[in-house]
Amino acid sequence: MKCLVVAAGQGTRLREKGPVKPLIPLKGVPILDRVLARAHEAGVEEFVVVSGYRGEDVRAELDALATRERISVAHVVNENWERANGVSVLSAKSLLREPFLLTMCDHLVDADILRDLMCMTVEPDTVTLAVDFNIAGSINDPEDVTRVKCADGRIERIGKVLREFNAIDTGVFLCTPIIFEALEASQAAGDDSISGAMNVLAQWGKARTFDIGSRLWLDIDDPVAFSKAEVLLEAGRL
């Protein structure tokens, strides 16, 4: 199964750590390299990575990583990287015709989450989001997470400002190509985000959830989260 990684954004909140967010060293290893390493550990051999801001630097690092680790990395360039992340996903449409994993370049997750998603029986024309029901105990910033309202394994609503929610979006998905139809519909309605597409899929009855249980994940999008990642990696917890 292929894994699509979104690595096109500017990452201004981590600018103090380095000019190109995916390439910032985390305990001596670029964040993006760690993300791909977790997916490779889970069994992924083929990657599609969408780059944008300072993309030449990102692609050069990925080419070196692919040679070193003997993995396949296909490049997609998003010239409209200033827009929301759904634009990056849609730009990879032509390379992904079978079920695939989707993750973000700054989300470090337990490899077992990815492994279990890959082992799932794929329900045709659905997208499954890995969700964290441990809201109170989350290591992520509660004011910055994407919130999910779900019931009976289905997503009802997703967004940053939901008042009623019972889970958190981990940024890891098991997709079928219907994600691209939902992205096109969402963008036509003015929402360029992945969450916008997931809300469309929820309306279509096609958005599913996967409970990650007690396994850890971290969105490394600011200096506080970066410091948490260093501590957790040092302790062998992430």
Side-chain angles (χ1 to χ4, degrees):
M1 183 177 290
K2 294 181 180 179
C3 180
L4 173 62
V5 183
V6 175
Q10 193 169 359
T12 56
R13 287 189 287 175
L14 270 179
R15 185 59 54 81
E16 68 181 55
K17 300 290 185 181
V20 188
K21 181 178 181 178
L23 305 185
I24 295 172
L26 175 58
K27 302 293 291 182
V29 179
I31 297 173
L32 180 58
D33 288 27
R34 288 190 177 276
V35 169
L36 267 66
R38 292 296 172 89
H40 190 207
E41 180 184 343
V44 176
E45 299 286 346
E46 295 183 73
F47 293 88
V48 178
V49 182
V50 184
S51 55
Y53 176 72
R54 296 191 61 164
E56 290 184 1
D57 295 333
V58 173
R59 293 188 290 276
E61 171 62 27
L62 286 167
D63 287 341
L65 178 67
T67 299
R68 188 168 65 248
E69 299 298 329
R70 297 181 180 179
I71 57 176
S72 170
V73 177
H75 297 296
V76 175
V77 179
N78 176 11
E79 300 291 355
N80 297 308
W81 53 264
E82 303 96 333
R83 293 170 63 184
N85 55 12
V87 175
S88 288
V89 176
L90 187 55
S91 68
K93 178 180 179 179
S94 64
L95 298 182
L96 298 160
R97 303 184 184 279
E98 302 292 336
F100 63 95
L101 291 178
L102 165 62
T103 191
M104 310 298 118
C105 73
D106 55 354
H107 286 210
L108 199 58
V109 304
D110 187 321
D112 282 341
I113 296 173
L114 301 171
R115 188 177 291 112
D116 286 352
L117 279 173
M118 293 173 68
C119 289
M120 288 180 63
T121 299
V122 180
E123 187 178 349
D125 293 332
T126 62
V127 173
T128 300
L129 169 62
V131 297
D132 187 355
F133 286 100
N134 185 23
I135 298 170
S138 176
I139 60 175
N140 291 273
D141 181 356
E143 300 302 317
D144 193 42
V145 296
T146 298
R147 302 169 177 182
V148 186
K149 179 71 166 61
C150 51
D152 300 322
R154 295 172 180 263
I155 294 174
E156 297 178 350
R157 191 71 181 162
I158 183 170
K160 287 279 191 180
V161 295
L162 291 185
R163 291 187 178 182
E164 295 184 10
F165 64 102
N166 57 349
I168 301 171
D169 171 1
T170 68
V172 178
F173 305 77
L174 175 62
C175 302
T176 66
I178 198 172
I179 184 67
F180 301 119
E181 296 177 38
L183 286 162
E184 290 167 346
S186 178
Q187 290 176 26
D191 189 341
D192 288 340
S193 69
I194 297 172
S195 292
M198 292 305 294
N199 279 320
V200 169
L201 287 164
Q203 293 170 7
W204 293 349
K206 300 292 187 179
R208 305 288 186 262
T209 61
F210 167 75
D211 181 1
I212 69 167
S214 61
R215 290 168 293 191
L216 292 182
W217 65 282
L218 183 63
D219 180 1
I220 309 170
D221 62 352
D222 60 27
V224 172
F226 188 90
S227 296
K228 286 182 184 177
E230 290 182 310
V231 171
L232 290 165
L233 286 168
E234 183 69 26
R237 294 184 58 207
L238 185 64

